[in-house]
Amino acid sequence: MKKDVRKAIIAGNWKMNKTPSEAKALLAQMIPLVKDATCEVVACVPYVDLAAAVEATQGTNIKIGAENCHWAESGAFTGEISTGMLKEIGVEYVVLGHSERRQYFGETDETVNKRVKAALAAGLKPIVCVGELLWERECDITEEVVARQIKLDLFDVSEEELQNVVIAYEPVWAIGTGKTATADQAEEVCALIRATIKKLYSPAAAEGITIQYGGSMNDKNADELVGKLNVDGGLIGGASLVADKFAAIVNAASNN
Ligand code: 13P
């Protein structure tokens, strides 16, 4: 197992925070703080902020991502956004299957899979979120739950396409709760995910794929988390809304 064969990615998931002008201001604060990062730096922002965010980060090392996309190219899907729309304005990443979408908006593994395939076909890089609920962990079925999500969410995704996929392990009980998984818990499940990828694809695919941890990751705990062999960066909620906290996490990933 070698950490230097894959890229660590620190991605902010801004969720439903920041208007376009606030987004510009936050990115302007972040740009000088993360400019020397050796890991990939991504900000996933609300749809209406995307154009302003792409413009504000032009010529910098910050990449922009969306927080969801629809699977159809176009059509009668009121309120939805297509991959082509995201691509045209310069978006590179898209968060898919976030637990908040699964919990509050009826997202299923089947619809996550459709979105993943559409994103890949359009040349976007999906950040596919998986993770167990608290009671699933308590019932000791974390391994089954996460392996099932990986198999279903990546169904019919080829090994070549997989090179553009990022996986985020986000235990649902750790999101926005201030309860972080311990570094050992994060490592254990990220390693399980890598083993699942190895079984489904190949040893090379498993070695190459970026697997992030997400859930109450912050400037204080990032160093220990990203120091783990199978944790290739993080997907950050709350702490990604504060420039110096986000930058500290980027630095932790750059130094590991
Ligand atoms: P928090 O970092 O706020 O716990 O959110 C994590 C998350 O859901 C990132 O997608």
Side-chain angles (χ1 to χ4, degrees), residues 17-166:
N17 292 291
K18 305 293 174 190
T19 66
S21 60
E22 289 169 345
K24 265 199 225 172
L26 179 55
L27 288 165
Q29 285 183 303
M30 283 176 181
I31 288 166
L33 301 179
V34 304
K35 69 176 183 1
D36 298 321
T38 56
C39 63
E40 179 107 326
V41 184
V42 184
C44 299
V45 306
Y47 287 135
V48 295
D49 295 351
L50 286 168
V54 168
E55 198 191 317
T57 52
Q58 211 110 73
T60 76
N61 60 331
I62 302 181
K63 310 276 168 62
I64 298 301
E67 298 178 14
N68 195 15
C69 68
H70 198 265
W71 56 84
E73 277 178 29
S74 62
F77 300 102
T78 303
E80 292 297 313
I81 298 288
S82 74
T83 56
M85 294 170 185
L86 299 177
K87 239 348 232 187
E88 188 175 309
I89 60 167
V91 170
E92 290 184 45
Y93 285 86
V94 58
V95 176
L96 293 174
H98 191 278
S99 64
E100 285 149 16
R101 298 227 54 96
R102 295 179 192 256
Q103 249 178 312
Y104 307 135
F105 302 102
E107 190 78 69
T108 64
D109 288 308
E110 188 182 3
T111 54
V112 175
N113 178 245
K114 285 180 170 191
R115 294 179 211 274
V116 168
K117 286 195 286 193
L120 288 167
L124 291 165
K125 295 176 183 164
I127 300 176
V128 182
C129 303
V130 297
E132 80 286 4
L133 305 171
L134 181 58
W135 73 275
E136 290 169 331
R137 175 165 282 267
E138 287 169 353
C139 293
D140 202 19
I141 59 165
T142 299
E143 183 173 350
E144 289 101 300
V145 169
V146 171
R148 183 176 195 274
Q149 288 174 327
I150 293 287
K151 283 179 197 166
L152 295 175
D153 297 353
L154 298 182
F155 174 71
D156 209 18
V157 169
S158 72
E159 184 158 343
E160 196 188 335
E161 287 175 317
L162 191 75
Q163 291 174 15
N164 285 320
V165 173
V166 177

Side-chain angles (χ1 to χ4, degrees), residues 13 15 98 100 129 170 174-177 214-217 235-239:
N13 172 10
K15 308 191 179 183
H98 191 278
E100 285 149 16
C129 303
E170 298 208 316
I175 294 176
T177 58
S216 299
M217 195 173 189
L235 185 57
I236 327 295

Side-chain angles (χ1 to χ4, degrees), residues 159 194 197-207:
E159 184 158 343
R194 205 175 298 286
I197 295 292
K198 187 174 169 183
K199 251 187 256 166
L200 290 175
Y201 293 91
S202 70
E207 286 290 301

